[in-house]
């Protein structure tokens, strides 16, 4: 072998040795710059509320800013696509919710496969949706609402935070199970929808509990029921819709995923940080006040939850007979 060849091989070995040392050291000082956290809905909505609670804690914990970036539209698919197409270096994260599990079966032409193109990072909390109506509606119970809908077919409209969200699909499931005729009015986030509900331009929404609870506590809308199979711990005075419509259920989750290829060392760092956050009494109190139940999980456990939720919502999509091209 020539001296030039030996030098080339030696150089390659040194380069490989350096490359082998990059991943651990880069993970060891992660994060060393701001982290983008993409969420698929407008500012002020339930996802945004929880994301900002968590991002504040993570920013203080790591000493680097976790910046919430709202990419509203297409039921959260714009944010998901942007995250999936970002470098898998741990500096772009995605807020994950039921819309990501629903879109897999509801949307016929997605440009990505969510389960294949993302890695689960951490579960944050479990939550229910809440059916709230305009104060102008002459109903105070779920049964009165069903009776009103059937007496006024096609004259009642329900808002959602976009096609493919649990807010949308809760309405579709309710329609299918009660035979109520309602018109779907999608928005780019529930925060944008509430002014129209308050003014009775749109009559109701099955919104995620954090924002629905805030509005009902303020007296701007009337709460009729929660979508969990039993009454929700945070709002025990509000009946479960299933008490009137047996079998009705729509329980969701919030968490974090990252683009496929994100180093497992970084995933582990983030998962442990979220786990620590969910032991912090002050943060837990804020999530509980927003109506959530903290649910720490390992990445593998969270991945199984997303897979199970994808299967569950596929059945709901098929039962409701809806799709988006």
């Amino acid at each position: 072998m020539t001296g030039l060849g030996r030098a080339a091989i030696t150089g390659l070995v040194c380069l490989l040795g350096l490359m082998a040392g990059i991943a651990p050291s880069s993970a060891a000082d992660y994060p060393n710059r701001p982290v983008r956290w993409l969420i698929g809905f407008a500012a002020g909505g339930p996802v945004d509320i929880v994301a900002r609670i968590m991002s504040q804690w993570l920013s203080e914990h790591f000493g680097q800013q976790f910046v919430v970036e709202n990419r509203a539209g297409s039921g959260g698919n714009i944010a998901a696509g942007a995250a999936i197409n970002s470098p898998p270096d741990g500096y772009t994260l995605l807020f994950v919710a039921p819309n990501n599990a629903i879109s897999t079966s509801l949307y016929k032409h997605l440009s990505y496969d969510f389960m294949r193109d993302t890695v689960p990072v951490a579960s944050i909390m479990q939550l229910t949706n809440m059916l709230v109506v305009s104060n102008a509606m002459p109903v105070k119970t779920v049964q009165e609402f069903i009776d009103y809908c059937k007496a006024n077919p096609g004259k009642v409209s329900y808002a959602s935070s976009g096609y493919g969200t649990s807010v949308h699909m809760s309405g579709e499931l309710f329609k299918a199970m009660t035979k109520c005729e309602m018109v779907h009015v999608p928005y780019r986030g529930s925060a944008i929808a509430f002014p129209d509900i308050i003014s009775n331009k749109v009559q109701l929404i099955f919104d995620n509990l954090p924002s629905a609870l805030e509005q009902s506590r303020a007296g701007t809308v009337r709460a009729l029921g929660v979508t969990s199979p039993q009454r929700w711990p945070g709002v025990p005075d509000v009946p479960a819709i299933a008490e009137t419509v047996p079998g009705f259920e729509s329980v969701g989750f919030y968490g974090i995923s990252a683009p496929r290829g994100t180093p497992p060392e970084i995933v582990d760092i983030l998962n442990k940080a979220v786990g620590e956050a969910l032991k912090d009494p002050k943060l837990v109190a804020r999530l509980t006040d927003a109506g959530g139940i903290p649910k720490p999980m390992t990445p593998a456990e969270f991945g199984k939850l997303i897979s199970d939720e994808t299967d569950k919502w596929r059945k709901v999509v098929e039962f409701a007979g809806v799709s988006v091209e």
Side-chain angles (χ1 to χ4, degrees), residues 61-249:
H61 176 76
F62 284 112
Q64 289 288 347
Q65 287 297 308
F66 277 66
V67 182
V68 172
E69 188 174 314
N70 301 86
R71 294 284 190 94
S74 189
N77 292 326
I78 291 174
I84 286 168
N85 290 314
S86 297
D89 55 10
Y91 289 91
T92 300
L93 305 175
L94 176 68
F95 194 107
V96 183
N99 60 285
N100 301 111
I102 295 167
S103 292
T104 299
S105 53
L106 182 68
Y107 282 81
K108 301 305 179 184
H109 303 292
L110 285 179
S111 61
Y112 57 82
D113 181 316
F114 190 81
M115 292 297 297
R116 180 196 66 201
D117 296 333
T118 63
V119 293
V121 174
S123 165
I124 297 172
M125 64 186 239
Q126 186 181 39
L127 73 162
T128 184
N129 289 355
M130 179 186 280
L131 164 58
V132 296
V133 300
S134 164
N135 286 329
M137 286 283 285
V139 299
K140 294 185 178 179
T141 67
V142 172
Q143 187 59 57
E144 287 180 2
F145 174 68
I146 293 172
D147 294 341
Y148 181 87
C149 281
K150 290 186 174 180
N152 298 273
K155 295 182 181 179
V156 174
S157 56
Y158 73 99
S160 81
S161 48
Y163 286 104
T165 60
S166 69
V167 182
H168 169 212
M169 292 309 301
S170 293
E172 291 294 338
L173 183 61
F174 187 86
K175 285 171 58 179
M177 294 184 72
T178 62
K179 308 304 179 186
C180 284
E181 292 183 31
M182 299 189 295
V183 179
H184 176 216
V185 183
Y187 291 78
R188 291 171 66 86
S190 61
I192 301 170
F194 268 104
D196 285 353
I197 299 166
I198 293 167
S199 65
N200 201 38
K201 292 179 182 177
V202 180
Q203 283 67 53
L204 66 134
I205 188 170
F206 292 81
D207 198 21
N208 292 170
L209 191 57
S211 56
L213 186 58
E214 182 180 3
Q215 293 288 346
S216 63
R217 283 173 174 168
T220 57
V221 295
R222 183 182 303 125
L224 298 188
V226 292
T227 62
S228 49
Q230 293 87 32
R231 297 193 181 205
W232 196 251
V235 283
D237 294 337
V238 180
I241 294 172
E243 294 175 29
T244 304
V245 186
F248 185 89
E249 178 182 352

